[in-house]
Amino acid sequence: PEPLRHSDPADPGPGAPGGLFAWLRGRCLGRGAAVDPARDTFGAMTGLYGAIQPADSVSLSTRTHGAVFNLEYSPDGSVLTVACEQTEVLLFDPISSKHIKTLSEAHEDCVNNIRFLDNRLFATCSDDTTIALWDLRKLNTKVCTLHGHTSWVKNIEYDTNTRLLVTSGFDGNVIIWDTNRCTEDGCPHKKFFHTRFLMRMRLTPDCSKMLISTSSGYLLILHDLDLNKSLEVGSYPILRARRTTSSSDITSSGSSGPRAVGSPCHQNDSGPLSEKTLSRPSQREGGSPRNSLEVLTPEVPGERDRGNCITSLQLHPKGWATLLRCSSNTDDQEWTCVYEFQEGAPVRPVSPRCSLRLTHCIEEANVGRGYIKELCFSPDGRMISSPHGFGIRLLGFDAHCSELVDCLPREASPLREIRSLYSHNDVVLTTKFSPTHCQIASGCLSGRVSLYQPKF
């Protein structure tokens, strides 16, 4: 389909009388489809994704490596790495679908996540409580092993500005590792943050915010992030605990801002923070200080009166939104939701505006209960690839695969299904877009990895 083009009567275009200035203004803002090269070429990219089909399977029938928990491409798209349940990391050439290497004993337990630091260095984390650094040029041995967590390590992030590695685990700790001073014995590290029921942790692309999801349904956001300062309970300014809003909530609440909810400490001790911490007054007025903490209860359709677990957390590549996979506490519903970041001053000091707003959502198949399904944005942020039963769904904000900023709805709207792709015989647990090619990879519970690319 053709990309969405807006017709504005007040903007007659560059060829019309008086339209040159409007055209130049649109070019400065980067919002005109005719002046932004990325928008010009996405018509072709949308056509390519519309023609995408299952291509090749890169599973290894000679080795039992267990379920595929995570997929990660190198930044240049030349290597696809696979984190497996049975202690292994697999490496493939995604273009030729050729197997490159198997790290048969990468860890002593399940490998959960892989993160590239650059085109040659990557990190893996495991249920054995360790993180390992690897170099593609010398895969026979690890660069080093990092010890610091006391439970399963589930998540790795990397700040390219400071070259700090950030990890999180089920011990509730977020730990910072200084890779600038890495030796064979490890890296200097410090505990940055702690919260109960931690599930996933992410950094925004500019590393200005840290988002943390919990199994108790809370989403924590650290604003104006400073990774050089460790945070202990009570040492950071608290923004009021509240529920995220949809557009209809904003309209109905008027100048009073979104409705607030009780602090997590009143939820039968299931919240991520202590009562002492949440009793601190809001310091949002006059701009947030560094590492200001915001505690949110993301609104999920059909879950207004029931708790939910945020199992997967991803960030828009341009930092505009966060993507959540939520399941109800009763495990009878599962949703994919998109929340737009709302920047700017609070509506009024006594009731600060919630920084997230629900814009799009869709109900998922809710199969493979007990397993986390990792979804992702496309490199340009226009599409979402989501595990759906024995396959994946490509989802867009509208039927034209428009950018989020060009199709923000007044009320929360359904994500549009662009295409469904099925090539597995078991529940898909993870999916990933290539950063450089029109290709998608998916991995399932039985260990198969499938590639999808255009076929004409």
Side-chain angles (χ1 to χ4, degrees):
E2 289 295 322
L4 182 65
R5 299 179 185 272
H6 298 279
S7 57
D8 186 354
D11 184 5
L20 178 60
F21 295 102
W23 180 79
L24 287 173
R25 180 175 179 274
R27 179 169 184 169
C28 291
L29 294 175
R31 294 189 60 84
V35 298
D36 188 340
R39 297 177 186 227
D40 273 343
T41 58
F42 196 78
M45 290 302 295
T46 304
L48 288 174
Y49 279 116
I52 207 162
Q53 298 284 346
D56 298 298
S57 170
V58 293
S59 63
L60 291 177
S61 58
T62 57
R63 187 182 296 273
T64 304
H65 48 267
V68 174
F69 285 161
N70 183 236
L71 299 165
E72 184 72 12
Y73 285 88
S74 60
D76 60 5
S78 63
V79 177
L80 173 64
T81 57
V82 183
C84 299
E85 180 183 14
Q86 301 295 337
T87 75
E88 295 182 350
V89 173
L90 310 178
L91 292 90
F92 294 93
D93 176 355
I95 305 303
S96 64
S97 303
K98 300 294 185 182
H99 175 233
I100 300 173
K101 179 78 172 178
T102 296
L103 307 178
S104 57
E105 295 182 358
H107 287 275
E108 296 178 0
D109 209 332
C110 304
V111 185
N112 297 315
N113 191 228
I114 301 174
R115 173 70 60 177
F116 274 86
L117 283 61
D118 52 37
N119 282 322
R120 61 181 182 85
L121 289 173
F122 65 96
T124 60
C125 65
S126 168
D127 283 357
D128 66 6
T129 76
T130 69
I131 301 98
L133 293 181
W134 304 85
D135 192 325
L136 286 176
R137 299 169 300 182
K138 188 181 179 182
L139 289 171
N140 292 329
T141 59
K142 303 174 185 178
V143 174
C144 64
T145 301
L146 309 181
H147 300 270
H149 285 279
T150 58
S151 185
W152 302 347
V153 188
K154 293 295 185 180
N155 201 173
I156 307 173
E157 291 287 283
Y158 183 63
D159 183 348
T160 55
N161 300 319
T162 61
R163 295 182 63 190
L164 293 175
L165 200 69
V166 189
T167 62
S168 67
F170 280 1
D171 55 3
N173 291 327
V174 176
I175 296 181
I176 308 296
W177 309 83
D178 187 358
T179 57
N180 298 298
R181 295 186 288 162
C182 188
T183 66
E184 292 183 357
D185 297 326
C187 299
H189 67 279
K190 64 179 180 180
K191 186 171 74 172
F192 176 72
F193 188 79
H194 176 83
T195 185
R196 290 176 290 169
F197 312 116
L198 189 153
M199 286 292 293
R200 290 292 186 266
M201 172 275 304
R202 301 288 179 194
L203 301 180
T204 54
D206 61 358
C207 297
S208 64
K209 296 181 180 67
M210 176 184 289
L211 280 75
I212 298 172
S213 66
T214 70
S215 59
S216 54
Y218 294 100
L219 185 67
L220 282 59
I221 306 178
L222 285 165
H223 295 271
D224 301 313
L225 189 65
D226 182 4
L227 292 176
N228 293 311
K229 180 181 179 182
S230 294
L231 300 179
E232 300 297 335
V233 173
S235 70
Y236 38 80
I238 287 288
L239 307 183
R240 288 183 62 184
R242 54 197 178 272
R243 192 178 186 90
T244 60
T245 58
S246 63
S247 299
S248 58
D249 293 328
I250 294 174
T251 303
S252 62
S253 60
S255 62
S256 63
R259 55 194 173 93
V261 295
S263 59
C265 63
H266 295 148
Q267 306 293 327
N268 296 324
D269 198 34
S270 62
L273 300 169
S274 68
E275 186 172 0
K276 177 182 177 182
T277 304
L278 284 169
S279 65
R280 296 171 61 87
S282 170
Q283 301 187 29
R284 182 78 169 184
E285 301 92 326
S288 301
R290 301 299 297 272
N291 294 329
S292 297
L293 179 64
E294 183 178 18
V295 183
L296 302 174
T297 309
E299 178 185 347
V300 179
E303 293 296 319
R304 292 181 181 270
D305 301 320
R306 290 186 293 173
N308 61 82
C309 174
I310 305 173
T311 58
S312 182
L313 170 66
Q314 300 290 340
L315 274 299
H316 190 282
K318 297 179 182 178
W320 292 342
T322 181
L323 177 65
L324 303 183
R325 187 75 168 251
C326 305
S327 60
S328 63
N329 283 340
T330 55
D331 253 358
D332 60 345
Q333 281 187 309
E334 195 171 16
W335 292 83
T336 289
C337 301
V338 178
Y339 300 86
E340 171 210 12
F341 280 108
Q342 297 184 99
E343 303 294 349
V347 176
R348 65 178 188 175
V350 296
S351 182
R353 180 173 63 180
C354 177
S355 66
L356 290 180
R357 178 175 71 94
L358 177 64
T359 61
H360 297 81
C361 56
I362 192 169
E363 189 168 4
E364 295 290 357
N366 194 32
V367 296
R369 297 180 183 182
Y371 286 94
I372 296 173
K373 290 90 174 180
E374 298 286 3
L375 62 178
C376 65
F377 279 107
S378 61
D380 55 18
R382 293 180 184 242
M383 280 189 181
I384 296 166
S385 181
S386 174
H388 190 258
F390 288 10
I392 63 173
R393 289 194 297 188
L394 299 183
L395 305 170
F397 303 116
D398 64 11
H400 304 281
C401 297
S402 301
E403 288 193 339
L404 178 62
V405 294
D406 291 334
C407 59
L408 282 173
R410 287 186 171 272
E411 298 182 358
S413 300
L415 287 165
R416 299 292 296 270
E417 184 175 330
I418 306 300
R419 190 169 183 81
S420 294
L421 300 166
Y422 296 97
S423 63
H424 291 272
N425 296 319
D426 210 332
V427 177
V428 174
L429 300 181
T430 182
T431 178
K432 194 74 174 181
F433 281 91
S434 167
T436 55
H437 300 85
C438 188
Q439 186 183 76
I440 308 170
S442 63
C444 71
L445 189 57
S446 60
R448 177 177 178 177
V449 176
S450 291
L451 300 177
Y452 311 88
Q453 55 197 33
K455 287 187 177 181
F456 299 100

